[in-house]
């Protein structure tokens, strides 16, 4: 099930959409206006990196580290919440702006996060996933002709949604420090990108695809920038906020910074946090002036979000704060606090809340993936949050036939794209090229980079490690050896440090449903 | 009627004084007030039986609930992860087979796209096919979301009123409501992009006949740019044996022009699940899927799978027959009570609702002020709303005022009308009937 997403082309000209099967089959002439979709959607069904690599995953049977959602079952307490909700009387339309049991839980939690009293009625809108929260926020805030600043590399859904809102995406690329592997945003470059038409800045932390967690100082600098531009609003995409696992990193709520609440719409969702991406429940939180137009749109968009799933999340969000999990082990208590028979728990492992348990799991998987990439001759870049690691691939040589190939989504082949096709087709591992995460003019910045997901079961990561190891020893042995030595040093340093035990990083227990 | 463009211009002047928070011009023009919410509050405040909103108050059928519980619990199957734009494969397959047997024509997954409720599907139709300045035509009174969505997309609306909704030759059954074909023809211009049809019809319950739809089709054939949206969400609620549900898309030459919309929420009494779908030719369906991929990506996967299983199970369980029979029974009870109370119900041939005439009500006031007719936000000044309030307070039963279901030019036709829903548990309907009887007996009506 590939995620269909697409690149904006920045053009607002009229174009015809050639649907599947072609207009000719209807008996109407090709280009007949009956099939003409509104111009702003032109290109929406064009082939993309997602459709191409999704198809490759299916055709090759490669270990799929491309898709950005977990391949394990949701945690048991979330399924319990779902079952409980199904048994309640909550199957009809609910309040369009959000089911009151859920909005009251969200208001309470965000009041703590943002250190102010959040009004559940006026300052929250519940949407079909964070995707729709982003879409509606743009629809509500942006007028045709406006510009939206996007920090690159970036989640490419933003481009499509910006275009559908009739606005232009302006990409501001971050710089990659070769030595540290860290990404840095040049504030002068951001400032230079502002024009009289700039209306919105989209922030995403933890960041997809880089795994960067913007520090408090970086966020304060961004707040200064926003303050300097009185017409600028901010969308803070925080879907990975509970996936901060880098040592010393913590999530900063941009809307909690001085004077930023009135400028910011905060977006998040349940899907990534609770491994229920299919439930499609997201939300936007912000001042009434920004949330009210979204609330006005919601009845027209789909009337309301699925009531029983909102009900389930109203139970799950708070349950996630309770000590139901053995650190490094499994869920050992039910939603209602009863002990679960036979649940795996290492002796002496403390009981922790889901968020802490989950952070430790992701930290461990991040490390496992870093080892696997190193064995493949790919340098893993530092990753502090989210579940993607970027890899640096300059030590790998890509065969000419792949460099010369042309596909529907990549008519003019790029190195990173070619490399990923090569690895998927001939070496059984599917990674995602980084260039599609940049706007066209900057795509060269992705030439030696790939994005790799580690929201995968240990079995999947082990299979990937085997295949990458085989590839590395055959095709990039020197690089692999050097990278693996570096990894060994990191592991040794960590094992010696007391923090490792507290994080549960070193402990390995299979994750997911039985 | 103030067109969408001029409504859009006005807020920009206000925006200059608060530039930071000025929302998108078109959203700023959307009506902020909501007659549904106001009525729900009114019903609550007075302890009235709320027959205003169109959702069922009986439990979701057990086989449907069981299917949802199973798809959440069966975590290995992955139904809790992303579905895909256009619909989960299991649901597309179930819908395709089911529709093929009802339509008696081949239907494959290329002909199906799933959205977040029929409302989401209709929203996608507007977003995909309608551009600013396009015209949209529908038969009035019409579900008010059509005109709101049209305004949202900068489209102009033209309503073609059904005849005999009110007045000297007022209908006693929905079959007697008339469709004015010349008026429909006159409403269509070279700029008309979308014709919206709805059968069984909300709010009148009219089940359009084959002959009526053939007359509409002959109009449509004369306008090559016209697309038809056929809102068929009440398909399984035809309540008279003598009436049949006609799929406009199946009339000669109409398949290529028509997007038909259906609602799992209405069909299976789970309106909160937000699973709806469109059926049509690939060149109309594929762009809808593309829109979905941007707007909200996909519907809720475990509920899609549950609906797939429910569709497969329903026919063998005799579900559709029992749904129609149960609704017919409820319709008859409410119609009898409304008639006895002097509210002159137009007996609906299908759907969830019955329209009533309140001109005989004691508490009814004079006609609506003209300014209130033109202003979507001024519903509380209109005669139909005042009649609703009077009935709610004196009888303890609430029916929905439907001024918003008419375009402003024809809104005066709704002055004496209220819409009552009978998609309610028997207990509520008995209570409503009893209150009507009692109010009549003490001379309150």
């Amino acid at each position: 099930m590939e995620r269909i997403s697409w690149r904006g082309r920045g053009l607002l000209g009229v174009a015809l959409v050639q649907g599947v099967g072609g207009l000719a089959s209807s008996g109407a002439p090709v280009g007949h206006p009956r099939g003409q979709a509104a111009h702003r959607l032109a290109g929406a069904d064009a082939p993309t990196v997602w459709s191409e690599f999704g198809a490759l995953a299916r055709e090759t049977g490669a270990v799929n580290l491309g898709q950005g959602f977990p391949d394990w079952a949701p945690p048991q307490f979330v399924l319990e919440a779902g079952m409980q909700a199904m048994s309640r009387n909550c199957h009809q339309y609910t309040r369009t702006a959000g089911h009151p049991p859920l909005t009251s839980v969200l208001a309470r939690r965000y009041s703590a996060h943002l250190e102010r009293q959040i009004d559940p009625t006026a300052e929250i809108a519940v949407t079909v996933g964070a995707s729709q929260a982003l879409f509606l926020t743009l629809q509500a805030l942006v007028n045709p002709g406006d510009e939206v600043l996007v920090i690159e590399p970036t989640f490419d859904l933003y481009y499509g949604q910006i275009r559908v809102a009739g606005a232009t995406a302006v990409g501001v690329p971050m710089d990659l420090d070769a030595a540290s592997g860290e990404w840095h945003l040049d504030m002068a470059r951001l400032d230079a990108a502002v024009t009289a038409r700039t209306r919105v800045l989209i922030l995403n932390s933890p960041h997809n695809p880089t795994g960067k967690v913007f520090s408090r100082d970086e966020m304060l600098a961004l707040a200064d920038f926003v303050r300097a531009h009185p017409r600028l609003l901010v969308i803070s995409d925080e879907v990975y906020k509970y996936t901060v696992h880098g040592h010393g990193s913590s999530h900063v709520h941009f809307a909690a910074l001085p004077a930023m609440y009135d400028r910011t719409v905060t977006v998040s969702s349940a899907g990534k946090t609770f491994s229920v991406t299919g439930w499609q429940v997201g939300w936007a939180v912000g001042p009434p002036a920004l949330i009210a137009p979204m609330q006005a749109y919601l009845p027209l968009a789909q009337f309301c979000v699925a009531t029983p799933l909102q009900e389930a999340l109203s139970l799950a969000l708070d349950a996630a704060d309770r000590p139901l999990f053995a650190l490094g082990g499994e869920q050992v208590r039910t939603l209602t606090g009863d002990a679960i028979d036979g649940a795996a728990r290492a002796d002496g492992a403390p009981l922790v809340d889901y968020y802490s348990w989950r952070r430790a799991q992701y930290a461990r998987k991040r490390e496992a993936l870093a080892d696997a990439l190193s064995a493949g001759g790919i340098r893993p870049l530092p990753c502090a949050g989210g579940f993607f690691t970027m890899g640096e691939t300059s030590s790998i040589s890509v065969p000419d036939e792949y460099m010369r190939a042309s596909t529907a989504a990549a008519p003019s082949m790029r190195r990173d794209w070619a490399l990923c096709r090569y690895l998927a087709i001939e070496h059984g591992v599917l990674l995602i090229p980084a260039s599609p995460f940049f706007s066209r003019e900057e795509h060269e910045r992705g030439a030696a980079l790939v994005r790799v997901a580690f929201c995968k079961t240990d079995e999947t990561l082990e299979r990937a490690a085997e295949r990458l190891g085989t590839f590395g020893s055959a095709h990039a042995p020197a690089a692999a050896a050097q990278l693996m030595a570096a990894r060994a040093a990191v592991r040794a340093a960590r094992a010696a440090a007391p923090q490792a035990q507290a994080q549960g990083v070193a402990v390995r227990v299979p994750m997911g449903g039985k | 009627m103030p067109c969408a463009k001029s409504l859009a211009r006005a807020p920009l002047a206000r925006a200059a004084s608060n530039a930071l928070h000025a929302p998108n011009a078109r959203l700023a023009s959307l009506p902020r007030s909501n007659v549904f919410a106001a009525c729900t509050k009114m019903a609550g405040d007075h302890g009235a039986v709320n027959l205003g909103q169109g959702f069922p108050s009986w439990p979701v059928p057990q086989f449907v609930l069981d299917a949802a519980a199973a798809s959440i619990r069966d975590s290995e199957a992955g139904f809790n992860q992303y579905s895909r734009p256009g619909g989960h494969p299991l649901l597309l397959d179930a819908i395709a087979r089911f529709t093929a047997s009802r339509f008696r024509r081949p239907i494959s997954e290329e002909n199906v796209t799933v959205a977040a409720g029929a409302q989401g599907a209709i929203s996608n139709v507007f977003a995909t096919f309608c551009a600013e300045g396009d015209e949209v035509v529908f038969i009035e009174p019409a579900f008010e979301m059509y005109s709101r969505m049209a305004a949202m997309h900068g489209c102009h609306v033209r309503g073609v009123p059904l005849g005999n909704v009110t007045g000297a030759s007022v209908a006693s059954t929905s079959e007697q409501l008339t469709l004015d074909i010349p008026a429909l023809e006159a409403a269509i211009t070279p700029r008309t992009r979308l014709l919206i049809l709805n059968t069984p019809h909300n709010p009148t319950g009219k089940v359009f006949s084959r002959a009526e739809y053939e007359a509409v089709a002959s109009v449509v054939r004369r306008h090559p740019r016209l697309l038809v949206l056929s809102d068929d969400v009440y398909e399984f609620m035809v309540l008279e044996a003598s009436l049949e549900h006609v799929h406009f898309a199946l009339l000669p030459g109409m398949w290529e022009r028509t997007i038909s919309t259906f609602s799992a929420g209405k069909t299976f009494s789970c309106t909160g699940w937000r699973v709806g779908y469109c059926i049509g030719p690939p060149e109309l369906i594929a762009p809808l899927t593309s829109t979905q991929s941007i707007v909200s990506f996909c519907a809720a996967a475990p509920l899609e799978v549950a609906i797939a299983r429910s569709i497969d199970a329903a026919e063998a369980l005799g579900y559709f027959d029992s749904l129609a029979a149960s609704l017919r029974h409820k319709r008859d009870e409410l119609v009898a009570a409304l008639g006895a109370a002097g509210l002159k119900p137009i007996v609906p041939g299908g759907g969830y609702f019955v329209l009533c005439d309140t001109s005989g009500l004691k508490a009814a006031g004079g006609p609506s002020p003209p300014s209130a007719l033109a202003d979507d936000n001024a519903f509380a000044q209109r005669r139909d709303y005042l009649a609703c309030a009077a009935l709610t307070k004196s009888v303890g039963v609430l029916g929905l005022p439907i001024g918003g279901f008419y375009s402003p030019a024809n809104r005066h036709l709704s002055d004496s009308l209220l819409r009552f829903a009978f998609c309610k548990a028997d207990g509520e309907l008995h209570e409503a009937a009893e209150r009507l009887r009692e109010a009549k007996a003490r001379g309150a009506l």
Side-chain angles (χ1 to χ4, degrees):
Chain A
M1 294 184 270
E2 77 274 15
R3 183 178 181 91
I4 297 173
S5 184
W6 51 291
R7 296 287 315 276
R9 290 181 176 78
L11 298 173
L12 293 179
V14 174
L16 294 176
V17 174
Q18 300 293 320
V20 171
L23 290 167
S25 62
S26 71
V30 170
H32 192 283
R34 199 186 306 140
Q36 180 179 19
H39 64 82
R40 58 190 175 276
L41 288 164
D45 53 357
T48 65
V49 61
W50 307 108
S51 56
E52 180 169 318
F53 281 85
L56 262 183
R58 284 190 299 275
E59 286 155 20
T60 62
V63 177
N64 192 339
L65 302 184
Q67 0 145 271
F69 57 89
D71 63 351
W72 55 70
Q76 188 178 330
F77 79 95
V78 174
L79 298 181
E80 290 175 68
M83 304 298 294
Q84 233 183 74
M86 282 299 151
S87 68
R88 294 180 176 187
N89 183 17
C90 57
H91 299 287
Q92 306 307 329
Y93 298 125
T94 186
R95 181 174 162 266
T96 60
H99 190 49
L102 178 60
T103 54
S104 67
V105 169
L106 288 171
R108 183 175 18 90
R109 296 180 68 83
Y110 276 92
S111 295
H113 296 326
L114 304 184
E115 294 163 35
R116 62 184 295 136
Q117 203 57 32
I118 301 292
D119 177 348
T121 314
E123 295 181 293
I124 296 181
V126 176
T127 58
V128 178
S131 309
Q132 196 191 39
L134 293 163
F135 172 79
L136 285 184
T137 307
L138 286 165
Q139 289 288 321
L141 301 185
V142 151
N143 279 298
D146 282 349
E147 291 175 1
V148 177
L149 295 173
V150 168
I151 296 168
E152 296 181 340
T154 191
F155 177 43
D156 63 339
L157 183 66
Y158 300 154
Y159 294 122
Q161 295 183 336
I162 290 166
R163 227 160 62 93
V164 168
T168 307
V170 175
V172 180
M174 290 192 285
D175 295 313
L176 178 60
D177 180 275
S180 66
E182 301 276 1
W183 293 86
H184 173 70
L185 176 63
D186 182 333
M187 294 303 293
R189 183 182 295 153
L190 184 65
D191 212 63
V194 177
T195 73
R197 285 189 298 279
T198 307
R199 181 58 169 149
V200 171
L201 164 68
I202 299 181
L203 296 179
N204 175 221
S205 182
H207 184 254
N208 172 12
T210 64
K212 177 180 174 68
V213 173
F214 285 76
S215 69
R216 189 167 181 83
D217 284 343
E218 287 172 316
M219 291 296 212
L220 286 169
L222 283 163
D224 285 340
F225 163 77
V226 170
R227 237 175 263 115
H229 298 283
R231 224 187 135 243
L232 194 57
L233 295 172
V234 176
I235 300 176
S236 180
D237 178 354
E238 305 186 0
V239 291
Y240 299 105
K241 61 186 277 193
Y242 286 112
T243 319
V244 175
H245 41 72
H247 189 55
S249 292
S250 63
H251 179 71
V252 176
H253 290 91
F254 189 79
L257 297 178
M260 288 298 109
Y261 183 72
D262 281 334
R263 317 288 296 266
T264 307
V265 175
T266 299
V267 167
S268 191
S269 78
K272 303 277 192 291
T273 306
F274 296 108
S275 307
V276 286
T277 56
W279 286 22
Q280 288 284 69
V281 181
W283 47 84
V285 180
L290 300 183
I291 296 295
M294 294 177 63
Q295 294 183 335
Y297 195 139
L298 281 169
L300 304 190
Q302 79 277 340
F303 194 77
C304 69
V305 173
T307 314
L309 299 179
Q310 292 192 60
E311 178 88 8
L313 286 167
S314 71
L315 301 171
L317 280 166
D318 282 342
D321 274 332
R322 299 201 286 268
L324 306 182
F325 285 81
L327 187 64
E330 298 181 316
Q331 180 179 338
V332 295
R333 293 192 183 285
T334 65
L335 184 72
T336 43
D338 302 320
I340 299 174
D341 287 337
R345 177 181 178 175
D347 283 341
L351 284 193
V352 295
D353 64 284
Y354 172 68
Y355 299 116
S356 302
W357 174 84
R358 185 175 174 279
R359 256 196 310 276
Q361 292 286 356
Y362 272 114
R364 188 173 55 68
K365 287 170 186 289
R366 178 198 70 215
E367 293 301 296
L369 179 66
D371 290 342
L373 289 172
S374 301
I378 297 174
R379 177 187 166 206
L381 299 185
C383 163
F387 38 66
F388 304 110
T389 290
M390 292 196 88
E392 204 279 327
T393 64
S394 54
S395 300
I396 298 179
S397 79
V398 184
D400 278 345
E401 61 189 279
Y402 286 93
M403 294 295 293
R404 284 193 306 264
S406 176
T407 67
S412 163
M413 189 50 63
R414 301 166 177 176
R415 182 186 174 278
D416 56 325
W417 198 295
L419 184 148
C420 289
R421 293 189 72 244
Y422 167 55
L423 287 177
I425 292 168
E426 296 196 22
H427 298 286
V429 182
L430 189 130
L431 317 178
I432 293 290
S435 57
F437 293 84
F438 290 93
S439 50
R440 186 175 287 148
E441 314 80 63
E442 303 285 349
H443 75 82
E444 276 296 320
R445 292 176 181 260
L449 298 173
V450 290
R451 187 196 81 168
V452 192
F454 53 91
C455 46
K456 306 295 164 192
T457 62
D458 293 344
E459 289 70 26
T460 302
L461 293 172
E462 277 158 27
R463 265 204 335 274
E466 276 166 34
R467 295 183 183 192
L468 283 165
T470 303
F471 169 78
S473 51
H475 298 276
Q482 186 186 13
L483 290 168
M484 286 196 290
R487 287 294 306 158
V490 165
R491 277 198 304 278
R494 221 173 242 138
Q499 295 95 322
Q501 296 308 321
Q503 275 195 1
V505 172
V507 180
R508 253 194 64 159
V509 173
M511 183 166 169
K514 297 179 177 52
Chain B
M1 143 191 174
C3 74
K5 272 194 185 142
S6 66
L7 282 171
R9 270 200 287 278
L12 289 173
R14 284 201 298 280
S17 63
N18 184 14
L20 175 64
H21 283 166
N24 169 282
R26 200 165 291 141
L27 275 174
S29 73
L30 287 179
R32 287 279 179 270
S33 55
N34 180 345
V35 65
F36 293 94
C39 286
T40 299
K41 181 173 189 308
M42 197 198 314
D45 289 347
H46 292 94
V49 179
N50 187 347
L51 302 185
Q53 257 186 303
F55 60 82
S57 65
W58 56 73
V60 180
Q62 195 58 45
F63 75 97
V64 178
L65 281 180
D66 289 346
S71 49
I72 290 175
R73 198 173 44 227
D74 182 11
S75 53
E76 295 303 316
F79 299 143
N80 292 299
Q81 303 311 328
Y82 285 127
S83 173
R84 62 204 220 332
H88 193 285
L90 288 177
L91 180 57
L92 293 179
D93 179 61
I95 292 171
R97 280 183 284 108
F98 181 64
T99 307
S101 77
R102 290 184 69 75
F103 279 19
R104 280 186 238 113
R105 69 172 284 150
I107 300 286
S108 77
E109 297 183 7
E110 284 190 322
N111 300 117
V112 186
T113 186
V114 174
Q119 187 108 330
I122 295 171
S123 178
N124 288 349
V125 169
F126 273 91
T128 308
F129 294 107
C130 299
E132 180 155 0
D134 279 348
E135 293 183 2
V136 177
V137 172
F138 44 74
I139 295 162
E140 301 190 299
F143 181 42
E144 63 179 286
M145 286 303 172
Y146 303 154
S147 55
R148 290 187 179 213
M149 286 192 204
M152 176 62 213
H153 289 91
C155 300
H156 307 283
V157 303
R158 290 173 190 259
V160 179
L162 281 171
N164 299 332
V165 174
T166 186
S169 50
V170 62
S172 55
T173 70
S174 61
E175 284 112 281
Q176 292 165 0
L177 299 169
T178 55
L179 180 54
D180 186 342
I181 294 294
L184 176 64
E185 175 81 60
I188 297 174
T189 76
R191 283 177 307 282
T192 309
R193 181 56 166 149
L194 196 62
L195 167 64
I196 303 180
L197 302 175
N198 174 219
T199 186
H201 182 248
N202 172 11
T204 66
K206 181 174 175 63
V207 177
F208 287 86
S209 69
R210 185 167 297 277
E212 283 169 323
Y213 266 5
E214 276 167 352
V216 173
S218 63
V219 173
V220 171
R221 267 181 221 111
R222 288 194 280 278
H223 298 276
R225 198 179 166 254
L226 198 52
L227 285 177
V228 177
L229 171 60
S230 179
D231 181 349
D232 288 27
V233 298
Y234 300 104
E235 176 186 9
F236 299 104
M237 294 156 204
V238 174
L239 305 179
E240 294 291 347
S242 57
L243 300 174
E244 60 155 341
H245 178 83
V246 177
H247 286 103
F248 189 79
L250 299 180
L251 294 177
M254 292 301 109
W255 174 253
E256 294 78 11
R257 319 288 299 270
T258 307
I259 298 165
S260 303
T261 303
F262 302 88
S263 162
K266 293 274 193 281
T267 302
F268 294 106
S269 305
C270 52
T271 59
W273 284 22
R274 318 315 302 138
V275 178
Y277 56 96
C278 294
I279 303 285
E283 61 268 20
L284 297 181
I285 293 298
L288 290 173
T289 296
S290 299
T291 299
Q292 179 68 18
S293 71
I294 297 166
V295 170
S296 60
F297 191 66
C298 65
L303 300 181
E304 286 188 283
V305 174
I307 294 296
R309 301 212 158 126
S310 302
I311 289 174
D312 283 338
E315 202 111 46
L317 290 170
Y319 171 71
F320 300 113
D321 290 339
S322 68
L323 174 68
S326 158
L327 273 172
R328 187 182 317 123
H329 190 76
K330 293 170 189 288
R331 175 199 68 175
D332 293 346
E333 172 168 5
L334 187 62
V335 162
L338 291 166
L343 283 163
K344 303 192 205 104
I346 301 175
V347 183
Y352 271 170
F353 308 109
V354 46
L355 270 193
C356 289
D357 185 325
T358 62
S359 49
L361 266 198
K362 270 185 193 174
S368 307
S371 55
L373 290 177
D375 180 354
D376 280 326
N377 288 314
F379 64 83
Q381 295 167 41
R382 291 190 216 129
R383 191 206 167 280
D384 59 345
Y385 184 83
L386 296 168
C388 160
L391 211 67
T392 302
K393 288 166 195 158
S394 67
V395 180
V397 178
L398 185 141
L400 188 78
I402 61 161
F405 285 55
Y406 276 100
S407 53
N410 296 318
R411 196 161 277 160
H412 61 279
L413 295 171
S414 67
D415 262 1
S416 300
L417 298 174
L418 288 178
R419 184 194 80 173
F420 291 86
F422 49 88
C423 48
K424 303 294 167 190
D426 287 343
E428 277 174 77
L429 292 173
H430 294 334
E431 179 64 29
E434 185 49 43
R435 291 184 183 198
L436 284 163
R437 215 172 355 255
E438 190 272 333
K440 174 86 173 161
R442 67 180 148 85
L445 283 169

